Amino acid sequence: MRRILLSAGAAIAFSVMASAGAGAATFSECATGTLEMVDSAYDCTISDNFDQDFLNTDPLTVNMAPGFFDVTDWMFVGKDKKGKMEGQSGTFDFTAAVEALSYSVDKLMLVFKDGSGTTLVGFLVTETAGMWQSPFTADNFPDAPGIRGGPKDVSHISLYAQEGEPPVVPLPAAGWLLLAGVGGLVAMRRKRKDA
């Protein structure tokens, strides 16, 4: 009976682990030339699983294991909707949104969203404003319908940030002088005790 229970327990554990891994995304590199489509981009990745940029999930879509660029603590900063876009190219400007943050930023990521047949495309960027072209090309999505004639329109661009380490505040020179003075007083007191 014990052997049957152990076997059943192992089977349940295996099925739970298998189903947990089934929803995990994997990421692929962007096609050659894709980095040049977004100003200040220095890395690009395409999700094979996430086609939505949901903000009402826990965790956020971009933080679902293993996370875009292996980061699972992205924080949503803002969204640039199609009203400012011309479909396949345009500008982005998140400067005011980033300046309003109450934390320092380590990394910035732009996430591009389109419609059916594609998944989310993420770009690590160094600037909060610039120009972009649609990454939804046949090179990046060879099996997507409707791309053969040219890139697909962008629905919206979201900006995410990873919080940076708080800055190290150096101890001012006056603090060092105070510590040296206290150390001197302690040394003088010990000398008096010894005498």
Side-chain angles (χ1 to χ4, degrees), residues 21-30 44-52 61-62 64-69 111-112 115-122 136 140-143:
T26 58
F27 296 89
S28 59
E29 292 182 21
C30 297
C44 176
T45 191
I46 301 171
S47 165
D48 75 337
N49 193 27
F50 303 134
D51 61 354
Q52 297 296 325
T61 301
V62 297
M64 292 181 183
F68 273 75
F69 302 101
V111 172
F112 284 71
S116 63
T118 62
T119 55
L120 301 179
V121 180
F136 301 109
N140 285 323
F141 297 94
D143 299 327

mmCIF file of all heavy atoms in Angstrom, residues 21-30 44-52 61-62 64-69 111-112 115-122 136 140-143:
data_model
loop_
_atom_site.group_PDB
_atom_site.id
_atom_site.type_symbol
_atom_site.label_atom_id
_atom_site.label_comp_id
_atom_site.label_asym_id
_atom_site.label_seq_id
_atom_site.Cartn_x
_atom_site.Cartn_y
_atom_site.Cartn_z
ATOM 1 N N GLY A 21 5.519 24.299 -15.848
ATOM 2 C CA GLY A 21 6.484 24.690 -16.870
ATOM 3 C C GLY A 21 5.850 24.915 -18.217
ATOM 4 O O GLY A 21 6.430 25.551 -19.079
ATOM 5 N N ALA A 22 4.616 24.421 -18.425
ATOM 6 C CA ALA A 22 3.990 24.529 -19.729
ATOM 7 C C ALA A 22 3.699 25.973 -20.113
ATOM 8 O O ALA A 22 3.736 26.330 -21.268
ATOM 9 C CB ALA A 22 2.699 23.710 -19.756
ATOM 10 N N GLY A 23 3.374 26.833 -19.141
ATOM 11 C CA GLY A 23 3.039 28.208 -19.447
ATOM 12 C C GLY A 23 4.244 29.124 -19.524
ATOM 13 O O GLY A 23 4.108 30.279 -19.874
ATOM 14 N N ALA A 24 5.401 28.641 -19.177
ATOM 15 C CA ALA A 24 6.585 29.489 -19.168
ATOM 16 C C ALA A 24 6.980 29.845 -20.600
ATOM 17 O O ALA A 24 6.875 29.039 -21.503
ATOM 18 C CB ALA A 24 7.739 28.794 -18.462
ATOM 19 N N ALA A 25 7.417 31.057 -20.753
ATOM 20 C CA ALA A 25 7.811 31.523 -22.081
ATOM 21 C C ALA A 25 9.279 31.242 -22.320
ATOM 22 O O ALA A 25 10.058 31.089 -21.396
ATOM 23 C CB ALA A 25 7.566 33.021 -22.202
ATOM 24 N N THR A 26 9.610 31.178 -23.565
ATOM 25 C CA THR A 26 11.009 31.204 -23.965
ATOM 26 C C THR A 26 11.157 32.415 -24.877
ATOM 27 O O THR A 26 10.178 32.950 -25.385
ATOM 28 C CB THR A 26 11.432 29.917 -24.707
ATOM 29 O OG1 THR A 26 10.592 29.763 -25.849
ATOM 30 C CG2 THR A 26 11.328 28.709 -23.814
ATOM 31 N N PHE A 27 12.365 32.848 -25.058
ATOM 32 C CA PHE A 27 12.601 34.048 -25.833
ATOM 33 C C PHE A 27 13.598 33.763 -26.932
ATOM 34 O O PHE A 27 14.486 32.927 -26.777
ATOM 35 C CB PHE A 27 13.116 35.169 -24.919
ATOM 36 C CG PHE A 27 12.102 35.583 -23.894
ATOM 37 C CD1 PHE A 27 12.037 34.956 -22.663
ATOM 38 C CD2 PHE A 27 11.195 36.582 -24.178
ATOM 39 C CE1 PHE A 27 11.082 35.330 -21.721
ATOM 40 C CE2 PHE A 27 10.245 36.966 -23.248
ATOM 41 C CZ PHE A 27 10.191 36.340 -22.025
ATOM 42 N N SER A 28 13.443 34.461 -28.037
ATOM 43 C CA SER A 28 14.382 34.309 -29.137
ATOM 44 C C SER A 28 14.978 35.667 -29.480
ATOM 45 O O SER A 28 14.409 36.712 -29.159
ATOM 46 C CB SER A 28 13.682 33.708 -30.360
ATOM 47 O OG SER A 28 12.606 34.533 -30.766
ATOM 48 N N GLU A 29 16.130 35.608 -30.107
ATOM 49 C CA GLU A 29 16.790 36.843 -30.512
ATOM 50 C C GLU A 29 16.024 37.481 -31.659
ATOM 51 O O GLU A 29 15.402 36.803 -32.464
ATOM 52 C CB GLU A 29 18.218 36.549 -30.966
ATOM 53 C CG GLU A 29 19.135 36.110 -29.856
ATOM 54 C CD GLU A 29 20.557 35.869 -30.349
ATOM 55 O OE1 GLU A 29 20.925 36.412 -31.414
ATOM 56 O OE2 GLU A 29 21.281 35.139 -29.665
ATOM 57 N N CYS A 30 16.100 38.780 -31.739
ATOM 58 C CA CYS A 30 15.496 39.499 -32.848
ATOM 59 C C CYS A 30 16.367 39.317 -34.091
ATOM 60 O O CYS A 30 17.562 39.052 -33.982
ATOM 61 C CB CYS A 30 15.370 40.974 -32.514
ATOM 62 S SG CYS A 30 14.269 41.293 -31.116
ATOM 63 N N CYS A 44 17.459 43.164 -27.753
ATOM 64 C CA CYS A 44 16.103 42.923 -28.240
ATOM 65 C C CYS A 44 15.774 41.451 -28.053
ATOM 66 O O CYS A 44 16.641 40.591 -28.228
ATOM 67 C CB CYS A 44 16.019 43.308 -29.712
ATOM 68 S SG CYS A 44 14.431 42.955 -30.487
ATOM 69 N N THR A 45 14.541 41.155 -27.671
ATOM 70 C CA THR A 45 14.103 39.769 -27.538
ATOM 71 C C THR A 45 12.635 39.648 -27.910
ATOM 72 O O THR A 45 11.871 40.610 -27.771
ATOM 73 C CB THR A 45 14.356 39.226 -26.113
ATOM 74 O OG1 THR A 45 14.163 37.825 -26.092
ATOM 75 C CG2 THR A 45 13.435 39.874 -25.100
ATOM 76 N N ILE A 46 12.266 38.475 -28.394
ATOM 77 C CA ILE A 46 10.890 38.201 -28.798
ATOM 78 C C ILE A 46 10.373 37.043 -27.966
ATOM 79 O O ILE A 46 10.999 35.987 -27.887
ATOM 80 C CB ILE A 46 10.821 37.827 -30.295
ATOM 81 C CG1 ILE A 46 11.368 38.968 -31.142
ATOM 82 C CG2 ILE A 46 9.390 37.472 -30.700
ATOM 83 C CD1 ILE A 46 11.530 38.615 -32.608
ATOM 84 N N SER A 47 9.216 37.240 -27.347
ATOM 85 C CA SER A 47 8.588 36.175 -26.568
ATOM 86 C C SER A 47 7.906 35.198 -27.508
ATOM 87 O O SER A 47 7.304 35.597 -28.496
ATOM 88 C CB SER A 47 7.544 36.779 -25.619
ATOM 89 O OG SER A 47 6.706 35.763 -25.125
ATOM 90 N N ASP A 48 7.979 33.915 -27.190
ATOM 91 C CA ASP A 48 7.275 32.935 -28.017
ATOM 92 C C ASP A 48 5.880 32.664 -27.478
ATOM 93 O O ASP A 48 5.085 31.989 -28.101
ATOM 94 C CB ASP A 48 8.054 31.614 -28.074
ATOM 95 C CG ASP A 48 7.943 30.821 -26.785
ATOM 96 O OD1 ASP A 48 7.663 31.427 -25.730
ATOM 97 O OD2 ASP A 48 8.127 29.601 -26.821
ATOM 98 N N ASN A 49 5.560 33.196 -26.287
ATOM 99 C CA ASN A 49 4.328 32.810 -25.611
ATOM 100 C C ASN A 49 3.409 33.987 -25.315
ATOM 101 O O ASN A 49 2.205 33.829 -25.309
ATOM 102 C CB ASN A 49 4.681 32.088 -24.303
ATOM 103 C CG ASN A 49 3.517 31.377 -23.683
ATOM 104 O OD1 ASN A 49 2.589 30.980 -24.373
ATOM 105 N ND2 ASN A 49 3.539 31.223 -22.383
ATOM 106 N N PHE A 50 3.956 35.146 -25.059
ATOM 107 C CA PHE A 50 3.131 36.260 -24.617
ATOM 108 C C PHE A 50 2.754 37.157 -25.786
ATOM 109 O O PHE A 50 3.593 37.814 -26.374
ATOM 110 C CB PHE A 50 3.865 37.081 -23.548
ATOM 111 C CG PHE A 50 4.289 36.262 -22.362
ATOM 112 C CD1 PHE A 50 5.562 36.385 -21.849
ATOM 113 C CD2 PHE A 50 3.416 35.373 -21.764
ATOM 114 C CE1 PHE A 50 5.956 35.639 -20.746
ATOM 115 C CE2 PHE A 50 3.803 34.613 -20.664
ATOM 116 C CZ PHE A 50 5.081 34.755 -20.154
ATOM 117 N N ASP A 51 1.464 37.178 -26.108
ATOM 118 C CA ASP A 51 0.997 38.056 -27.176
ATOM 119 C C ASP A 51 0.187 39.220 -26.621
ATOM 120 O O ASP A 51 -0.305 40.047 -27.359
ATOM 121 C CB ASP A 51 0.176 37.283 -28.209
ATOM 122 C CG ASP A 51 -1.064 36.640 -27.605
ATOM 123 O OD1 ASP A 51 -1.240 36.698 -26.377
ATOM 124 O OD2 ASP A 51 -1.856 36.081 -28.375
ATOM 125 N N GLN A 52 0.052 39.289 -25.305
ATOM 126 C CA GLN A 52 -0.677 40.378 -24.657
ATOM 127 C C GLN A 52 0.233 41.061 -23.640
ATOM 128 O O GLN A 52 1.088 40.429 -23.044
ATOM 129 C CB GLN A 52 -1.933 39.850 -23.957
ATOM 130 C CG GLN A 52 -2.945 39.237 -24.905
ATOM 131 C CD GLN A 52 -3.520 40.248 -25.877
ATOM 132 O OE1 GLN A 52 -3.717 41.402 -25.545
ATOM 133 N NE2 GLN A 52 -3.762 39.821 -27.099
ATOM 134 N N THR A 61 2.538 40.477 -17.143
ATOM 135 C CA THR A 61 2.919 39.585 -18.245
ATOM 136 C C THR A 61 4.429 39.554 -18.443
ATOM 137 O O THR A 61 5.026 38.491 -18.584
ATOM 138 C CB THR A 61 2.243 40.031 -19.551
ATOM 139 O OG1 THR A 61 0.830 40.008 -19.372
ATOM 140 C CG2 THR A 61 2.620 39.121 -20.705
ATOM 141 N N VAL A 62 5.073 40.720 -18.426
ATOM 142 C CA VAL A 62 6.519 40.778 -18.700
ATOM 143 C C VAL A 62 7.348 40.144 -17.592
ATOM 144 O O VAL A 62 8.530 39.867 -17.785
ATOM 145 C CB VAL A 62 6.989 42.224 -18.954
ATOM 146 C CG1 VAL A 62 6.321 42.800 -20.188
ATOM 147 C CG2 VAL A 62 6.744 43.102 -17.740
ATOM 148 N N MET A 64 6.361 37.233 -16.006
ATOM 149 C CA MET A 64 6.118 35.796 -15.927
ATOM 150 C C MET A 64 7.391 35.059 -16.298
ATOM 151 O O MET A 64 8.096 35.450 -17.220
ATOM 152 C CB MET A 64 4.955 35.404 -16.833
ATOM 153 C CG MET A 64 3.637 35.939 -16.355
ATOM 154 S SD MET A 64 2.301 35.423 -17.428
ATOM 155 C CE MET A 64 0.937 36.264 -16.662
ATOM 156 N N ALA A 65 7.677 34.003 -15.553
ATOM 157 C CA ALA A 65 8.939 33.269 -15.689
ATOM 158 C C ALA A 65 9.218 32.909 -17.141
ATOM 159 O O ALA A 65 8.308 32.485 -17.841
ATOM 160 C CB ALA A 65 8.921 32.027 -14.829
ATOM 161 N N PRO A 66 10.430 33.095 -17.580
ATOM 162 C CA PRO A 66 11.599 33.589 -16.874
ATOM 163 C C PRO A 66 11.727 35.108 -16.903
ATOM 164 O O PRO A 66 12.710 35.645 -16.420
ATOM 165 C CB PRO A 66 12.749 32.946 -17.629
ATOM 166 C CG PRO A 66 12.274 32.912 -19.043
ATOM 167 C CD PRO A 66 10.787 32.629 -18.937
ATOM 168 N N GLY A 67 10.760 35.820 -17.448
ATOM 169 C CA GLY A 67 10.795 37.275 -17.508
ATOM 170 C C GLY A 67 11.587 37.775 -18.701
ATOM 171 O O GLY A 67 12.520 37.122 -19.162
ATOM 172 N N PHE A 68 11.190 38.922 -19.212
ATOM 173 C CA PHE A 68 11.930 39.524 -20.319
ATOM 174 C C PHE A 68 13.346 39.851 -19.863
ATOM 175 O O PHE A 68 13.530 40.469 -18.814
ATOM 176 C CB PHE A 68 11.219 40.790 -20.799
ATOM 177 C CG PHE A 68 10.159 40.531 -21.825
ATOM 178 C CD1 PHE A 68 8.940 39.987 -21.467
ATOM 179 C CD2 PHE A 68 10.391 40.816 -23.162
ATOM 180 C CE1 PHE A 68 7.964 39.746 -22.409
ATOM 181 C CE2 PHE A 68 9.423 40.566 -24.120
ATOM 182 C CZ PHE A 68 8.198 40.027 -23.746
ATOM 183 N N PHE A 69 14.322 39.426 -20.630
ATOM 184 C CA PHE A 69 15.747 39.627 -20.345
ATOM 185 C C PHE A 69 16.120 39.030 -18.981
ATOM 186 O O PHE A 69 16.974 39.548 -18.274
ATOM 187 C CB PHE A 69 16.124 41.116 -20.417
ATOM 188 C CG PHE A 69 15.824 41.725 -21.763
ATOM 189 C CD1 PHE A 69 14.692 42.506 -21.949
ATOM 190 C CD2 PHE A 69 16.654 41.487 -22.844
ATOM 191 C CE1 PHE A 69 14.401 43.048 -23.192
ATOM 192 C CE2 PHE A 69 16.376 42.031 -24.092
ATOM 193 C CZ PHE A 69 15.241 42.810 -24.261
ATOM 194 N N VAL A 111 8.274 47.696 -24.632
ATOM 195 C CA VAL A 111 7.603 46.482 -25.101
ATOM 196 C C VAL A 111 6.620 46.888 -26.189
ATOM 197 O O VAL A 111 5.731 47.718 -25.960
ATOM 198 C CB VAL A 111 6.885 45.752 -23.953
ATOM 199 C CG1 VAL A 111 6.032 44.619 -24.497
ATOM 200 C CG2 VAL A 111 7.903 45.210 -22.956
ATOM 201 N N PHE A 112 6.807 46.308 -27.377
ATOM 202 C CA PHE A 112 5.946 46.581 -28.516
ATOM 203 C C PHE A 112 4.880 45.514 -28.614
ATOM 204 O O PHE A 112 5.165 44.317 -28.502
ATOM 205 C CB PHE A 112 6.769 46.599 -29.818
ATOM 206 C CG PHE A 112 7.579 47.854 -29.990
ATOM 207 C CD1 PHE A 112 8.692 48.101 -29.207
ATOM 208 C CD2 PHE A 112 7.219 48.786 -30.951
ATOM 209 C CE1 PHE A 112 9.441 49.252 -29.369
ATOM 210 C CE2 PHE A 112 7.964 49.952 -31.123
ATOM 211 C CZ PHE A 112 9.082 50.182 -30.330
ATOM 212 N N GLY A 115 -1.148 42.954 -33.088
ATOM 213 C CA GLY A 115 -2.355 42.130 -33.062
ATOM 214 C C GLY A 115 -2.039 40.661 -33.217
ATOM 215 O O GLY A 115 -0.991 40.179 -32.809
ATOM 216 N N SER A 116 -2.944 39.936 -33.849
ATOM 217 C CA SER A 116 -2.814 38.483 -33.964
ATOM 218 C C SER A 116 -1.630 38.086 -34.841
ATOM 219 O O SER A 116 -1.230 38.811 -35.739
ATOM 220 C CB SER A 116 -4.096 37.899 -34.561
ATOM 221 O OG SER A 116 -4.285 38.399 -35.864
ATOM 222 N N GLY A 117 -1.086 36.923 -34.527
ATOM 223 C CA GLY A 117 0.001 36.375 -35.329
ATOM 224 C C GLY A 117 1.389 36.761 -34.869
ATOM 225 O O GLY A 117 2.372 36.314 -35.441
ATOM 226 N N THR A 118 1.473 37.626 -33.871
ATOM 227 C CA THR A 118 2.779 38.024 -33.356
ATOM 228 C C THR A 118 2.757 37.944 -31.833
ATOM 229 O O THR A 118 1.713 37.747 -31.230
ATOM 230 C CB THR A 118 3.141 39.471 -33.763
ATOM 231 O OG1 THR A 118 2.189 40.369 -33.194
ATOM 232 C CG2 THR A 118 3.165 39.629 -35.265
ATOM 233 N N THR A 119 3.908 38.103 -31.230
ATOM 234 C CA THR A 119 4.015 38.140 -29.775
ATOM 235 C C THR A 119 4.742 39.419 -29.380
ATOM 236 O O THR A 119 5.167 40.193 -30.238
ATOM 237 C CB THR A 119 4.776 36.907 -29.246
ATOM 238 O OG1 THR A 119 6.039 36.826 -29.902
ATOM 239 C CG2 THR A 119 4.001 35.624 -29.477
ATOM 240 N N LEU A 120 4.896 39.638 -28.078
ATOM 241 C CA LEU A 120 5.531 40.862 -27.601
ATOM 242 C C LEU A 120 7.011 40.903 -27.969
ATOM 243 O O LEU A 120 7.699 39.890 -27.919
ATOM 244 C CB LEU A 120 5.383 40.975 -26.084
ATOM 245 C CG LEU A 120 3.961 40.997 -25.544
ATOM 246 C CD1 LEU A 120 3.975 41.085 -24.026
ATOM 247 C CD2 LEU A 120 3.155 42.133 -26.142
ATOM 248 N N VAL A 121 7.489 42.098 -28.302
ATOM 249 C CA VAL A 121 8.902 42.326 -28.607
ATOM 250 C C VAL A 121 9.421 43.348 -27.604
ATOM 251 O O VAL A 121 8.837 44.423 -27.448
ATOM 252 C CB VAL A 121 9.098 42.840 -30.050
ATOM 253 C CG1 VAL A 121 10.576 43.070 -30.325
ATOM 254 C CG2 VAL A 121 8.509 41.870 -31.059
ATOM 255 N N GLY A 122 10.502 43.010 -26.915
ATOM 256 C CA GLY A 122 11.082 43.894 -25.913
ATOM 257 C C GLY A 122 12.431 44.432 -26.351
ATOM 258 O O GLY A 122 13.233 43.708 -26.948
ATOM 259 N N PHE A 136 7.552 44.257 -36.153
ATOM 260 C CA PHE A 136 6.706 43.142 -36.587
ATOM 261 C C PHE A 136 6.887 42.914 -38.080
ATOM 262 O O PHE A 136 6.037 43.247 -38.896
ATOM 263 C CB PHE A 136 5.250 43.419 -36.210
ATOM 264 C CG PHE A 136 5.075 43.607 -34.728
ATOM 265 C CD1 PHE A 136 4.784 44.844 -34.195
ATOM 266 C CD2 PHE A 136 5.250 42.533 -33.870
ATOM 267 C CE1 PHE A 136 4.652 45.021 -32.830
ATOM 268 C CE2 PHE A 136 5.120 42.695 -32.501
ATOM 269 C CZ PHE A 136 4.824 43.946 -31.979
ATOM 270 N N ASN A 140 11.334 38.754 -38.283
ATOM 271 C CA ASN A 140 11.097 38.389 -36.882
ATOM 272 C C ASN A 140 9.934 37.415 -36.716
ATOM 273 O O ASN A 140 9.921 36.622 -35.777
ATOM 274 C CB ASN A 140 10.831 39.639 -36.035
ATOM 275 C CG ASN A 140 12.094 40.417 -35.754
ATOM 276 O OD1 ASN A 140 13.158 39.841 -35.546
ATOM 277 N ND2 ASN A 140 12.001 41.736 -35.762
ATOM 278 N N PHE A 141 8.941 37.477 -37.603
ATOM 279 C CA PHE A 141 7.747 36.633 -37.503
ATOM 280 C C PHE A 141 7.435 36.014 -38.862
ATOM 281 O O PHE A 141 6.494 36.407 -39.544
ATOM 282 C CB PHE A 141 6.549 37.467 -37.011
ATOM 283 C CG PHE A 141 6.741 38.033 -35.641
ATOM 284 C CD1 PHE A 141 7.242 39.315 -35.461
ATOM 285 C CD2 PHE A 141 6.438 37.272 -34.518
ATOM 286 C CE1 PHE A 141 7.430 39.836 -34.197
ATOM 287 C CE2 PHE A 141 6.629 37.793 -33.243
ATOM 288 C CZ PHE A 141 7.123 39.067 -33.079
ATOM 289 N N PRO A 142 8.227 35.027 -39.283
ATOM 290 C CA PRO A 142 8.052 34.462 -40.626
ATOM 291 C C PRO A 142 6.715 33.758 -40.833
ATOM 292 O O PRO A 142 6.260 33.626 -41.969
ATOM 293 C CB PRO A 142 9.222 33.477 -40.763
ATOM 294 C CG PRO A 142 9.682 33.212 -39.373
ATOM 295 C CD PRO A 142 9.334 34.409 -38.564
ATOM 296 N N ASP A 143 6.061 33.320 -39.757
ATOM 297 C CA ASP A 143 4.800 32.594 -39.899
ATOM 298 C C ASP A 143 3.568 33.458 -39.658
ATOM 299 O O ASP A 143 2.443 32.964 -39.700
ATOM 300 C CB ASP A 143 4.769 31.407 -38.925
ATOM 301 C CG ASP A 143 5.890 30.415 -39.203
ATOM 302 O OD1 ASP A 143 6.248 30.263 -40.390
ATOM 303 O OD2 ASP A 143 6.416 29.826 -38.244
#
